[in-house]
Amino acid sequence: MKQLGVGLIGTGYMGKCHALAWNAVKTVFGDVERPRLVHLAEANAELAAARGAEFGFEKATADWRALIADPEVDVVSVTTPNQFHAEMAIAALQAGKHVWCEKPMAPSYVDAERMLEAARASGKVAVLGYNYIQNPVMRHIKVLVGEGAIGKVNHIRVEMDEDFMADPEGFFYWKSALAGGYGALDDFAVHPLSLLWFLFGHVEAVVTDMVKPYPDRPLQQGGRKAVENHDGANVLMRLAGGISGVLMVNRAAWGRKGRIALQIFGSKGSITYDQERMNEFDLYQAEGRGTEQGYRKILAAPAHAPYDRFIPAPGHGLGFNDLKIIECRELLRAIAGEPSSTVSFADGLRIEKSVHAMAKAFHERGWVTVDD
Amino acid sequence: MKQLGVGLIGTGYMGKCHALAWNAVKTVFGDVERPRLVHLAEANAELAAARGAEFGFEKATADWRALIADPEVDVVSVTTPNQFHAEMAIAALQAGKHVWCEKPMAPSYVDAERMLEAARASGKVAVLGYNYIQNPVMRHIKVLVGEGAIGKVNHIRVEMDEDFMADPEGFFYWKSALAGGYGALDDFAVHPLSLLWFLFGHVEAVVTDMVKPYPDRPLQQGGRKAVENHDGANVLMRLAGGISGVLMVNRAAWGRKGRIALQIFGSKGSITYDQERMNEFDLYQAEGRGTEQGYRKILAAPAHAPYDRFIPAPGHGLGFNDLKIIECRELLRAIAGEPSSTVSFADGLRIEKSVHAMAKAFHERGWVTVDD
Amino acid sequence: MKQLGVGLIGTGYMGKCHALAWNAVKTVFGDVERPRLVHLAEANAELAAARGAEFGFEKATADWRALIADPEVDVVSVTTPNQFHAEMAIAALQAGKHVWCEKPMAPSYVDAERMLEAARASGKVAVLGYNYIQNPVMRHIKVLVGEGAIGKVNHIRVEMDEDFMADPEGFFYWKSALAGGYGALDDFAVHPLSLLWFLFGHVEAVVTDMVKPYPDRPLQQGGRKAVENHDGANVLMRLAGGISGVLMVNRAAWGRKGRIALQIFGSKGSITYDQERMNEFDLYQAEGRGTEQGYRKILAAPAHAPYDRFIPAPGHGLGFNDLKIIECRELLRAIAGEPSSTVSFADGLRIEKSVHAMAKAFHERGWVTVDD
Amino acid sequence: MKQLGVGLIGTGYMGKCHALAWNAVKTVFGDVERPRLVHLAEANAELAAARGAEFGFEKATADWRALIADPEVDVVSVTTPNQFHAEMAIAALQAGKHVWCEKPMAPSYVDAERMLEAARASGKVAVLGYNYIQNPVMRHIKVLVGEGAIGKVNHIRVEMDEDFMADPEGFFYWKSALAGGYGALDDFAVHPLSLLWFLFGHVEAVVTDMVKPYPDRPLQQGGRKAVENHDGANVLMRLAGGISGVLMVNRAAWGRKGRIALQIFGSKGSITYDQERMNEFDLYQAEGRGTEQGYRKILAAPAHAPYDRFIPAPGHGLGFNDLKIIECRELLRAIAGEPSSTVSFADGLRIEKSVHAMAKAFHERGWVTVDD
């Protein structure tokens, strides 16, 4: 069988992450084909050549369209800034390539819809890079929820917080401009929403408040400029099946570095998880003698597939980048027509629709239904 | 100086807690007068006599009005079920007694207003039993916030969760009936709101969702009965000074026993606290070298007054009941005309007004302003 | 029945703690007699009178022998500095009083032996103030160990660390002098040893190393003085039943405030506990599906007797001083001839014998057997 | 410049780990040459071919001597069971190859000495796979200790515990046989000792106790067999510079999965770390106002080099396997003659000498000095 030819557009952090995954996926999993790293595109020829050598690609180009036109490329990783996703992903799909595109799909909902249309028209595999759902711990939480280990879920809370916008004297840059989107909602909400979708299904109705902790920020050239969007957002939600939820996101939350804290309450127990300690979760089951009931801290272990493909001993820990390797293998399975767990463009669009509804609910100061 | 004569109405958990505080306050603090435990009232004479002996009161009665009429009684602890608070507190105030009444003031807002009027008319000290604010750790958090240790606060989150209603097969009882109030809002919200008021001031606007995890519950006599109120509530809030907040309360949250989790975010740092570990809090300050920034876990210590009155060494820990002793001393200071930190009937009424506004916001499905 | 008359000698922290317990024990437990607080002794008449008023004692004296001679006194709390324990406890016992003496018994083993002899000769109740064993959490750990919840115990580790001697520029005072004892061994080891004795029985053989982190300390009057004992000690131990153990104590351990960390390993599970979070413990049981095994964090609850006598709800937390109230009730039960859980002078002497053996092992640089 | 040719002997977990590192090192670090994966050896030709394809090696063989003889191979990863290390590493060194050998060097001290002699004779780079020291968090702890952030270190404790031998009914296998070594000492102690060496230098004197929790184990064929070595060991130590230490290792510690818990106490503060949460550590510094002193929980971040080469954002977390990539880069730097941080055969031999001294101390029941 012919090796799958890989093209990579973009070599920022996510580009590097994809490259690491393409390099490692066969060694880790064994049960997939070793992909051939064919073509890498960057903004200029020099950088492309340098990154191509670093990441182990055969060819490098400053013209991403050349990469897409390359007949040796079968699948394209799109890891460029968000505003380029639509154009590149659509071109790749139209050229008959599979696409692995970083989230979110596109700043504009219309562009995201066009991406979905292109995917449907192409018949190719088109998946989004929602890697948090690939964590063996998260997968096992899904197993537990599905088995009824905590009964019927009735309430969830999820927080995503970091502090890269927490300094009020940090310079104004595009993230604070209206063109940069709603703020934390764009930046963050899709991540916890991908987890909620993975575990429970889609959001159906929302009401939102947003937080603008600092009215203005200094400009590098001097003076100050009004902040145009919101570094925090809080949302009351109803999910499929009548589950009530609260979503809180904040990129100005001093002390939080990579927090995605999930609390799931059911009729027989509860589960909590925090991405800052991604190799463990806590499970409470209302079983047995009351004197010994409590949250069990469960460390990631080989029995939580596919942790075992990385490490044969419990408690040793996967890293954030390892999740991308798992995602890459799921993509390869999808391309091979095997069952896989990925976020399709259709699912991703629905997640982004929720985000837009949340923004609308803020501006309308009331509940908004997310149409399906 | 004449000893202050104490009357105690009610001997459930809170009654016992008051009794322990009255017994201990002088030994702990030294700087107050030792109160004289004069009169105790319970529902029947036998129980009153038994509890009077246990709690160390001189007289016992089944007629709470006799206690209030007792000229040797100067201050009355009201610790009966909520529906009796108004009648008893008002009678005591009208008889010229100081009143220490357990929260909430009354199930009906009108009754709570009457209590405030009676307090104003009497000129006596009338305080509510919001003991969480008396925790030396919480007091020190207030000091830190006031000093600007975390800059200007812009966002807070608070969760109060227990699991005594989490079992879907627990029998229907008054807590699930409409007459029992809104549900978790009545039961819980006043506690975290007392902390928010203590630290930041009052809630100004709210929007609410409520959670009814179980539509019905079994009856002891057989059959099932529809649950009439909500075991959970989630509220988006705006507080004084433009602080945005999220309040989440749930009495059907498996695994949570006495959780009151507070997260406070400011422009220079953040603070977190959880009542289940009431002798510690976490402080993040965006200071110093980045490589060593992190949440500092600070254990309660003598330097956090008045911890030192209980224990001269750090890290040994106060208990929940100790907070009532601190509250008792604040009451004694208020009676003595000294500066004190208590929740007056006026402040308590404003807290309860917030709760009613939250319920209204749920029914109206939109934002509601809390009038001052 | 005549009320039991209480005498209290000493009003430092432990004296206050005893006073609080004597004041509260009846209110908390109900099932004991309310003691009568008769007589208090302090070093001078003025302080005695002040403390007598604060602590609620009827009489106050500067002559502890007058207190012991008081026929209205039935039981004497001895809470003075360690060097006075023997003289006072023996005198009280010889006067026919029950004795509640703070630990350790005496700096010298010979004096401690004399105390035991006096207790035996008197036929009175003589107990030591080892309150850590009274924690409902610790009692429940004993229940679990006894039930075999973690199988046959084979290995334990215990650490007791504080940091009041951690500052190398702290002035030299009696704690660093040879007359002050071995150092951390005297100060600390008896506490964890009381827990080990409570749970497993006595120490049989030891080998020891000691730590002197700072060779000298400044004197208040200027200059420096050589430190004469050791702020840390580490001991390998064999306990009854072949259990291997490690004991580590350190009073110069920066960051530790009231740490007594216990790890217990058995053939079916393990238990961990830390006194800095005295209202919880962790239990691991090798049961059920491997994918959900983990340490369960169990919060103190009413089902862990006698927590319920203080608070009817789980997760609210007892304080350090509450343990003394429980101890006081055990003492009252012992005096009443009922089954009780206390550390007798005989058990206390055996604990102190272990400590002396540890010191010997350090000086002899080898294993030492603790004779019974 | 010619690419470095890699040979890999052994494809168990550590072999896979080496393969992943060789695949990823250039993509992660950029500043090294991309190695060429030339030759892989396994026990039989079929497995060799399969693993060769999986791990991306050009050639595969069942004859490890052929691999060593391959002129295209410049560096050999030795990841076979411990008893083969000496023969293979010595042969590779004698063939003029650099060697990256998994720890420990060899079951017998004499063989380990022969390995060191071969390394010295060859002039080639010969390093051992002690990857825990490569953790960016551990490296930063070393920086802090070196800077005096916690003053002069005077006491350390380290525990390494897992539970793969905790089940008393687990079958007898070679790990319980005398030929399998001392037990936990062989299995575990070298890991924490590598950390101590990395941070503080070598162990100078020891006294030891060992733990045999289960006297016998079932045989698969029926019946039981006496356990011949010890699943736990506890050691009192003196390290370079007069630091006192306690080492505790146990492979029968139910609940522990990958625990390597380190406590470091100095004259100005302390540091704690646990490998089960390898992306964080706690730092206490006795600085500033007493009311806010506490352990700071510091999450791994880009500022802790070389975390930044993996992830540009803090709090996202490296995995255990990532440490091997860092180690691989250090090896490449050593081969290139650049400063690097690795454990040489000389350092590794000294670590193993400590272990043998510990075993001797147990048998002699007294202190043993580790000769240099």
Side-chain angles (χ1 to χ4, degrees), chain B residues 39-341:
Chain B
H39 216 142
L40 176 148
E42 247 303 344
N44 65 66
E46 195 178 11
L47 184 58
R51 288 283 186 271
E54 275 176 47
F55 294 0
F57 281 76
E58 297 169 12
K59 294 176 264 186
T61 177
D63 175 10
W64 63 268
R65 292 185 186 279
L67 180 152
I68 282 176
D70 186 342
E72 295 188 296
V73 169
D74 303 300
V75 55
V76 179
S77 282
V78 179
T79 71
T80 47
N82 301 346
Q83 68 263 33
F84 301 116
H85 288 181
E87 185 180 14
M88 291 171 176
I90 291 169
L93 288 162
Q94 288 176 343
K97 317 295 190 191
H98 306 291
V99 169
W100 184 15
C101 182
E102 275 309 303
K103 77 263 148 204
M105 298 174 81
S108 110
Y109 186 73
V110 172
D111 282 342
E113 276 184 317
R114 287 177 47 231
M115 290 170 75
L116 173 57
E117 281 160 29
R120 284 186 172 145
S122 74
K124 292 290 164 181
V125 171
V127 306
L128 295 163
Y130 280 104
N131 49 318
Y132 292 114
I133 68 167
Q134 305 294 354
N135 187 342
V137 160
M138 191 56 60
R139 286 186 176 195
H140 192 66
I141 290 173
K142 185 178 167 76
V143 168
L144 289 171
V145 169
E147 287 178 351
I150 59 167
K152 187 174 179 303
V153 171
N154 56 62
H155 180 49
I156 61 94
R157 296 177 195 156
V158 61
E159 300 166 86
M160 178 163 179
D161 300 307
E162 300 192 12
D163 64 5
F164 61 87
M165 301 291 275
D167 184 352
E169 295 307 307
F171 287 122
F172 188 102
Y173 73 121
W174 67 267
K175 287 233 176 198
S176 290
L178 209 54
Y182 307 122
L185 260 190
D186 296 84
D187 253 17
F188 282 4
V190 294
H191 295 281
L193 287 172
S194 74
L195 295 180
L196 296 186
W197 164 79
F198 178 67
L199 296 170
F200 309 113
H202 284 302
V203 174
E204 297 184 344
V206 295
V207 63
T208 304
D209 194 17
M210 296 226 214
V211 192
K212 186 185 286 188
Y214 314 123
D216 56 30
R217 288 183 172 278
L219 291 163
Q220 273 188 291
Q221 62 270 38
R224 300 185 75 86
K225 185 170 162 56
V227 169
E228 296 169 2
N229 56 21
H230 295 82
D231 290 328
N234 305 304
V235 186
L236 307 182
M237 308 181 296
R238 290 296 177 106
L239 279 81
I243 297 171
S244 81
V246 183
L247 169 71
M248 293 154 276
V249 294
N250 201 311
R251 60 189 189 187
W254 273 125
R256 303 306 191 187
K257 305 302 179 183
R259 178 172 167 88
I260 304 181
L262 186 58
Q263 300 178 63
I264 308 168
F265 296 101
S267 59
K268 293 183 180 172
S270 61
I271 289 171
T272 69
Y273 170 83
D274 184 349
Q275 180 68 27
E276 284 182 358
R277 287 175 171 168
M278 59 172 272
N279 285 290
E280 60 189 62
F281 70 103
D282 290 277
L283 170 66
Y284 184 97
Q285 291 179 292
E287 289 175 2
R289 201 161 67 165
T291 39
E292 282 86 54
Q293 286 184 12
Y295 276 101
R296 236 175 300 158
K297 183 160 297 299
I298 298 163
L299 300 184
H304 307 127
Y307 176 102
D308 61 313
R309 298 307 309 165
F310 292 83
I311 306 172
H316 284 58
L318 301 194
F320 184 86
N321 292 349
D322 291 330
L323 306 186
K324 215 71 192 176
I325 303 176
I326 303 175
E327 189 176 83
C328 186
R329 187 241 200 165
E330 294 300 317
L331 168 65
L332 290 177
R333 290 172 62 88
I335 289 172
E338 289 162 5
S340 72
S341 178

Side-chain angles (χ1 to χ4, degrees), chain A residues 140 147 292 295-297, chain C residues 140 289 292 295-297:
Chain A
H140 192 66
E147 287 178 351
E292 283 86 53
Y295 275 101
R296 237 175 299 158
K297 183 161 296 300
Chain C
H140 193 65
R289 200 163 68 166
E292 283 86 54
Y295 275 102
R296 236 175 300 158
K297 182 162 295 301

Side-chain angles (χ1 to χ4, degrees), chain D residues 213-232:
Chain D
Y214 313 123
D216 54 31
R217 289 183 173 278
L219 290 163
Q220 273 188 291
Q221 64 270 37
R224 301 185 74 88
K225 184 168 163 57
V227 169
E228 297 169 1
N229 56 20
H230 295 81
D231 289 328

Side-chain angles (χ1 to χ4, degrees), chain C residues 92-316:
Chain C
L93 288 162
Q94 289 175 343
K97 317 296 189 189
H98 306 292
V99 169
W100 184 14
C101 182
E102 275 309 304
K103 79 258 146 214
M105 297 174 81
S108 108
Y109 187 73
V110 171
D111 282 341
E113 276 184 317
R114 287 177 46 231
M115 290 170 74
L116 173 56
E117 282 161 29
R120 284 187 172 146
S122 74
K124 292 290 165 181
V125 171
V127 306
L128 294 163
Y130 280 103
N131 48 318
Y132 292 115
I133 69 166
Q134 304 295 353
N135 187 343
V137 160
M138 191 55 60
R139 287 187 175 193
H140 193 65
I141 290 173
K142 185 177 167 77
V143 169
L144 289 170
V145 168
E147 287 178 352
I150 58 167
K152 186 173 182 301
V153 171
N154 55 62
H155 180 50
I156 61 94
R157 297 178 195 156
V158 60
E159 301 167 86
M160 178 164 179
D161 300 307
E162 300 192 12
D163 63 5
F164 61 86
M165 300 291 275
D167 183 355
E169 295 308 306
F171 286 121
F172 188 101
Y173 73 122
W174 67 266
K175 287 233 175 198
S176 291
L178 208 55
Y182 307 122
L185 260 190
D186 294 84
D187 253 16
F188 282 4
V190 292
H191 295 281
L193 287 172
S194 73
L195 295 179
L196 296 186
W197 164 78
F198 179 67
L199 296 170
F200 309 113
H202 284 301
V203 174
E204 298 184 342
V206 295
V207 64
T208 304
D209 194 18
M210 296 225 215
V211 191
K212 185 185 285 189
Y214 313 123
D216 54 32
R217 288 183 173 278
L219 290 163
Q220 273 189 292
Q221 62 270 38
R224 301 184 74 87
K225 184 168 164 56
V227 169
E228 297 169 1
N229 56 20
H230 294 82
D231 290 327
N234 306 303
V235 185
L236 308 182
M237 308 181 297
R238 290 296 177 105
L239 281 79
I243 297 172
S244 81
V246 184
L247 169 72
M248 294 154 275
V249 295
N250 201 310
R251 60 189 189 187
W254 274 124
R256 304 305 192 187
K257 306 302 178 182
R259 179 171 166 88
I260 305 181
L262 186 57
Q263 300 178 64
I264 308 168
F265 296 100
S267 59
K268 293 183 179 172
S270 60
I271 289 172
T272 69
Y273 170 84
D274 183 349
Q275 180 68 26
E276 284 183 358
R277 287 174 170 168
M278 60 173 270
N279 286 288
E280 59 189 62
F281 71 104
D282 290 277
L283 171 66
Y284 184 97
Q285 291 179 292
E287 289 177 1
R289 200 163 68 166
T291 39
E292 283 86 54
Q293 285 183 13
Y295 275 102
R296 236 175 300 158
K297 182 162 295 301
I298 298 163
L299 301 184
H304 307 125
Y307 176 103
D308 61 312
R309 297 307 309 164
F310 292 84
I311 307 172
H316 283 58

